Amino acid sequence: MDGRDAATDLELLRAHVSGDRDAFAELFRRHRDRLWAVALRTLGDREEAADALQDALLSAHRAAGRFRGDSAVTTWLHRIVVNACLDRIRRRQAHPTVPLPDGNRAADGSGTPGVEPAAPAQDHDTALVVREALAALPVEQRAALVLVDLQGYPVAEVARILGVAEGTVKSRCARGRARLAVLLGHLRPAAAAVRPEPSGSVTDVPGVTQGNPRPVEGVGSGSGRYRRDANQEDT
């Protein structure tokens, strides 16, 4: 058995900081399915989600030296991914001429939507409607609902990921669910489409740049308030 298999997440992160070229790749391998699911369901578009995930992991790769251990490594990684997604949503909203995501673009670039990952073919239309409804929510509500209702994380964990109080998460979820109830009222029998799914149920996880070319010395991304918050733990 490879020694990395038995290492904890924190040990892998520290090994990465110390110059182990493969430690971060192993850390990503452990958590990629859930991180990818969060990115995909938050953004609703495979290409956007892949780009956000790549940006987030590059940021985590560089900022690992700043991790203080005040939360679980997986919480820290999720926080960076969520903030990378929210950054993209806010940039998209700042340029309203850019079309809303139409789902999964075809490999030939035709823009033809594909089937939502992990969704049975007969649920495709419902999945598209649910995705469009989620996209209509304020970004804070969308992030909370994706983590709590779609990914099934406990409220306390989501509060740590988002860096807010548990009551704030509950409030955002309640307001988001109320909005979805209006938007999806005609699909009430299919409302179960918005439900937690098991880890790893979303497939086709994109790759990430492998290895660490040199020891990390606590480099942060510093590309704006949300990115800055993502690369350091809440005090």
Side-chain angles (χ1 to χ4, degrees):
M1 176 182 295
D2 190 322
R4 296 187 188 88
D5 293 336
T8 65
D9 289 348
L10 183 56
E11 288 170 342
L12 285 173
L13 194 64
R14 287 174 174 168
H16 162 67
V17 172
S18 297
D20 186 330
R21 296 174 61 90
D22 300 316
F24 191 84
E26 170 61 20
L27 184 64
F28 170 63
R29 184 195 64 78
R30 289 184 181 181
H31 302 292
R32 62 184 178 184
D33 289 347
R34 279 183 171 264
L35 295 174
W36 168 240
V38 167
L40 180 59
R41 293 185 173 115
T42 300
L43 288 165
D45 179 271
R46 297 183 69 83
E47 291 185 12
E48 287 269 349
D51 289 344
L53 184 60
Q54 184 75 27
D55 289 347
L57 291 172
L58 179 60
S59 179
H61 188 280
R62 292 173 173 172
R66 300 174 60 187
F67 181 74
R68 299 190 302 269
D70 295 343
S71 68
V73 172
T74 183
T75 299
W76 176 72
L77 288 172
H78 276 75
R79 185 181 306 154
I80 294 175
V81 170
V82 169
N83 283 347
C85 292
L86 297 187
D87 280 350
R88 283 183 171 270
I89 292 171
R90 291 184 175 99
R91 287 198 299 269
R92 192 164 63 200
Q93 291 176 340
H95 299 83
T97 57
V98 177
L100 289 174
D102 59 358
N104 303 319
R105 301 182 186 129
D108 60 4
S110 65
T112 303
V115 176
E116 176 77 5
Q122 63 268 28
D123 292 337
H124 182 209
D125 291 342
T126 297
L128 290 175
V129 173
V130 170
R131 181 169 55 229
E132 291 172 358
L134 280 170
L137 297 179
V139 291
E140 292 82 4
Q141 294 175 20
R142 188 194 314 186
L145 281 178
V146 166
L147 291 168
V148 174
D149 287 356
L150 289 176
Q151 295 303 113
Y153 292 125
V155 169
E157 177 68 7
V158 174
R160 288 190 289 270
I161 291 171
L162 298 180
V164 299
E166 292 184 32
T168 301
V169 174
K170 293 177 181 178
S171 176
R172 289 177 182 177
C173 286
R175 292 198 300 270
R177 290 172 190 138
R179 288 172 178 259
L180 288 181
V182 174
L183 295 171
L184 301 176
H186 62 293
L187 294 178
R188 196 167 300 278
V194 183
R195 63 183 186 275
E197 296 192 18
S199 174
S201 62
V202 177
T203 57
D204 298 332
V205 182
V208 66
T209 302
Q210 300 289 313
N212 181 10
R214 56 184 178 274
V216 175
E217 298 177 354
V219 180
S221 69
S223 59
R225 177 166 61 88
Y226 297 100
R227 188 74 68 186
R228 182 181 68 250
D229 293 344
N231 291 339
Q232 60 187 14
E233 297 177 276
D234 299 312
T235 55

